[in-house]
Amino acid sequence: MPPPGGTPPLHPPPDGGWGWVVVGAAFISIGFSYAFPKAVTVFFKEIQLIFNTTYSEIAWISSTMLAVMYAGGPISSVLVNKYGSRPVVMVGGLLCCLGMVSASYSTNVVELYLTMGFICGLGLAFNLQPALTIVGKYFYKKRPVANGLAMAGSPVFLSTLAPFNQYLFNTYGWKGSFMILGGLLLNCCVAGSLMRPVEPKASTESKNKVDVRETDSSMKKRQKKLSVWEKINKYLDFSLFKHRGFLIYLSGNVIMFLGFFAPVIFLAPYAKDKGIDEYSAAFLLSVMAFVDMFARPTVGLIANSKLIRPRIQYFFSLAVMFTGICHLLCPLAEDYTSLVVYAVFFGLGFGSVSSVLFETLMDLVGAQRFSSAVGLVTVVECCPVLLGPPLAGKLVDETGQYKYMYLACGAIVVLASVWLLIGNAINYRLLAREKKNINTKESQETEPLKTSQSPSVNIKSGKNEKWKGEEVNPSERETNI
């Protein structure tokens, strides 16, 4: 079992200073990464009519974008470990712009899968993972708060992008809107330029510098003889699959993400199906995002408290359960007022989960292995992220009603929370038992050492004797006595 990741690092990060500027840059990158696939759902109802497609087919656009964003995690991890966060995020901004501008020339849904889904999704992947990684390098003591503030970018951008997209569609049409959104996504390049790498502390002795250079040259010679698998493992730590806590987290998230994004994607179409006008339907996403906006930093502060931080895995599990219960109660909403109430509670649950989603992972594996952990988690999670919304759309196509989709998603999310609660309870108990066994072994090993190191006094003897493990003359021993 690897050591717990929540232990303080050997070289403490700045915990402030330029780190707050980096949090602001991560706020922009994460905001676009998570909000954009949800905000473009405003166009789906009209695109569905224009291209004459089904709910399931149109849902593949956001689903493909999210899946590529998650599947691109390992590629992003390798690039971040080799080049740093700054250039990766800037390249991601260019890819997002290219994808949306290309999407404006699409003539069918398949072309939207390739442009919006694949190209733009890959650009979002290059925005998300580097932003999450660099926040962990700048903060330790204030890390939950910093993560909560950075993750708040998603609801802030969603609350503004949803009505803004509706305005763009009514003014410029979907093609003109996509071109404008492509230019807007270039702001990710600006955010990436602010992600200055953490400067290592300079060594004080020149001899140490020479030694470091010699060791570096010898290490480079050894690295040339590394196998292909060792080179891959250098950038992606596959030993994490032997980490018990990591496996519990990963399996719980795979279940959760199967029903996590579909309720957001179908919220506006669900409201329009109830006879609500398009602006009011888009406003539901803004209400949810507004609550989510305040929930994330608030939950980050709560998670940073002395009471919650040692038990943050339990806190995450309960937040997931609360979100699932909200989806189970959604079919009771029959009018616009009740849908607004659902959006408020959904925003609270969604914000609580999102605020500590990656903080719990960093708590398990530590900041040093976090980049690899995010890459491995996202590539595994891309399967449920890809399949969840289309399966939900298929359920709507078969039943003709949205309520069964919300009930199914709620049941899946609640099941994931129960799995995480039980798994974390077992993991915490085993960790406590392992720690107790280690302390017992250490105490048993130190007791014989204490008895063997006790001084032996023999005043009458004139021979050399052991005094605290050293050989001394009798006269010297008497003086010491």
Side-chain angles (χ1 to χ4, degrees), residues 117-418:
F118 184 78
I119 299 176
C120 190
L122 187 62
L124 295 178
F126 287 178
N127 272 270
L128 176 62
Q129 198 268 351
L132 294 168
T133 302
I134 198 166
V135 171
K137 291 182 178 179
Y138 268 92
F139 292 91
Y140 175 72
K141 292 181 180 179
K142 302 175 184 177
R143 193 178 65 203
V145 179
N147 278 326
L149 290 172
M151 294 294 288
S154 174
V156 171
F157 276 62
L158 182 59
S159 62
T160 53
L161 281 176
F164 180 66
N165 286 350
Q166 190 66 56
Y167 168 76
L168 289 178
F169 177 78
N170 293 336
T171 308
Y172 302 102
W174 68 274
K175 290 190 175 184
S177 301
F178 283 2
M179 293 193 73
I180 294 172
L181 290 173
L184 191 65
L185 285 165
L186 286 174
N187 286 286
C188 294
C189 299
V190 180
S193 65
L194 297 173
M195 294 181 183
R196 188 172 67 193
V198 181
E199 296 178 358
K201 294 181 179 180
S203 58
T204 55
E205 298 180 4
S206 59
K207 292 182 179 179
N208 292 341
K209 293 182 180 179
V210 176
D211 293 339
V212 169
R213 289 174 185 172
E214 290 177 355
T215 53
D216 287 344
S217 60
S218 61
M219 285 296 293
K220 288 179 181 178
K221 293 179 181 178
R222 291 179 184 177
Q223 286 174 0
K224 292 180 182 179
K225 300 179 181 179
L226 292 176
S227 63
V228 177
W229 176 254
E230 288 173 334
K231 288 179 181 178
I232 296 173
N233 200 51
K234 178 184 175 182
Y235 296 108
L236 283 175
D237 189 0
F238 286 96
S239 65
L240 286 166
F241 286 109
K242 298 179 181 179
H243 193 295
R244 186 172 57 235
F246 176 79
L247 292 176
I248 294 170
Y249 174 90
L250 180 61
S251 56
N253 279 17
V254 167
I255 301 171
M256 178 186 72
F257 277 117
L258 196 60
F260 194 67
F261 289 112
V264 186
I265 293 173
F266 287 100
L267 182 57
Y270 178 40
K272 291 177 183 178
D273 187 68
K274 290 285 185 181
I276 297 168
D277 64 276
E278 55 188 19
Y279 275 103
S280 298
F283 184 69
L284 286 173
L285 288 173
S286 299
V287 171
M288 174 200 160
F290 183 78
V291 177
D292 190 3
M293 181 193 317
F294 291 97
R296 296 196 188 203
T298 304
V299 171
L301 286 170
I302 296 171
N304 200 38
S305 62
K306 295 181 179 178
L307 179 65
I308 301 297
R309 192 166 185 181
R311 304 170 183 84
I312 197 168
Q313 307 297 331
Y314 289 139
F315 185 76
F316 174 64
S317 305
L318 294 174
V320 173
M321 181 178 290
F322 178 81
T323 307
I325 292 172
C326 289
H327 297 330
L328 290 173
L329 297 177
C330 179
L332 299 176
E334 294 292 335
D335 56 1
Y336 186 68
T337 304
S338 54
L339 280 173
V340 171
V341 174
Y342 164 72
V344 169
F345 283 98
F346 183 23
L348 180 61
F350 197 91
S352 301
V353 173
S354 301
S355 178
V356 295
L357 178 64
F358 293 104
E359 174 60 30
T360 51
L361 178 60
M362 198 175 293
D363 177 73
L364 286 169
V365 303
Q368 297 297 325
R369 306 170 77 188
F370 180 71
S371 178
S372 295
V374 170
L376 295 173
V377 164
T378 52
V379 74
V380 175
E381 288 174 353
C382 76
C383 294
V385 168
L386 177 66
L387 296 175
L391 288 175
K394 187 69 175 176
L395 188 60
V396 174
D397 290 332
E398 293 294 329
T399 61
Q401 296 184 14
Y402 284 89
K403 66 177 183 180
Y404 297 110
M405 183 271 296
Y406 277 93
L407 288 172
C409 291
I412 290 170
V413 175
V414 169
L415 175 64
S417 68
V418 174

Side-chain angles (χ1 to χ4, degrees), residues 48 77 106 109 115 179 382 429 436-437 440:
Q48 182 181 357
S77 293
S106 299
V109 182
T115 53
M179 293 193 73
C382 76
R429 184 170 295 182
K436 185 179 179 180
N437 292 336
T440 304

